Amino acid sequence: MSKCPRCGASRYKVKDDEDYSSDENSKKGPPTKVLWYLPIIPRFKHVFANEDNAKDLTWHANGRNYDGMVCHPADCSWWKKIDGLYSDFRKEARNLRLGLASDGMNPYGSLSTQHSSCPVLLIIYNLPPWLCMK
Ligand SMILES: [Zn+2]
């Protein structure tokens, strides 16, 4: 679709001197909004393909010494709750626990109030504490 079915706005950037409603013109130029998407499954495969990274990702199950103190997300109650709910998931040391964070921002400050970005950060909690937030 080159136009919004509800309001008829062009999907593509339209110059001021062009006819807004013309189909010919609406197909030209860059899109009005862009969503950058990085597929996550190939990324996980890539990370597990490296032996050192794979060792770090299973550190929560294989390399951790639990001393009763909360030093890693794996020591927390929500981690153990998920382990209790999904025993098959717990048994697989290569399971991944992710944190998602997002917020909107204007990267150009007050220069362009029209533009905003919403970065989405994915944090792998399986990693050892010295790598988890790096
Ligand atoms: Zn619309």
Side-chain angles (χ1 to χ4, degrees):
M1 298 172 93
S2 59
K3 290 191 283 186
C4 175
R6 189 170 279 184
C7 68
S10 175
R11 182 178 172 189
Y12 303 93
K13 289 182 181 174
V14 180
K15 292 178 185 167
D16 290 340
D17 56 338
E18 290 178 350
D19 183 10
Y20 184 83
S21 60
S22 170
D23 262 359
E24 289 274 327
N25 290 332
S26 63
K27 289 179 182 172
K28 296 176 183 173
T32 306
K33 294 194 177 205
V34 177
L35 172 69
W36 292 96
Y37 170 69
L38 304 172
I40 197 146
I41 298 297
R43 190 75 193 153
F44 288 153
K45 286 179 180 175
H46 180 78
V47 172
F48 272 110
N50 179 301
E51 190 178 335
D52 292 333
N53 289 343
K55 209 174 277 181
D56 287 337
L57 288 168
T58 57
W59 176 88
H60 70 100
N62 301 326
R64 192 167 58 94
N65 292 325
Y66 183 59
D67 59 359
M69 306 291 282
V70 176
C71 303
H72 186 267
D75 302 331
C76 297
S77 60
W78 56 267
W79 189 290
K80 292 169 186 160
K81 184 177 181 178
I82 290 179
D83 279 351
L85 289 172
Y86 308 100
S87 59
D88 288 345
F89 183 74
R90 176 180 47 91
K91 288 174 192 164
E92 175 59 67
R94 293 174 296 174
N95 67 50
L96 288 177
R97 322 258 175 140
L98 307 170
L100 185 83
S102 177
D103 198 1
M105 65 174 195
N106 183 344
Y108 305 112
S110 60
L111 294 175
S112 171
T113 54
Q114 296 286 315
H115 185 87
S116 65
S117 294
C118 292
V120 178
L121 305 175
L122 203 58
I123 302 147
I124 302 175
Y125 286 140
N126 297 51
L127 295 169
W130 55 91
L131 292 173
C132 195
M133 295 295 168
K134 203 169 187 179

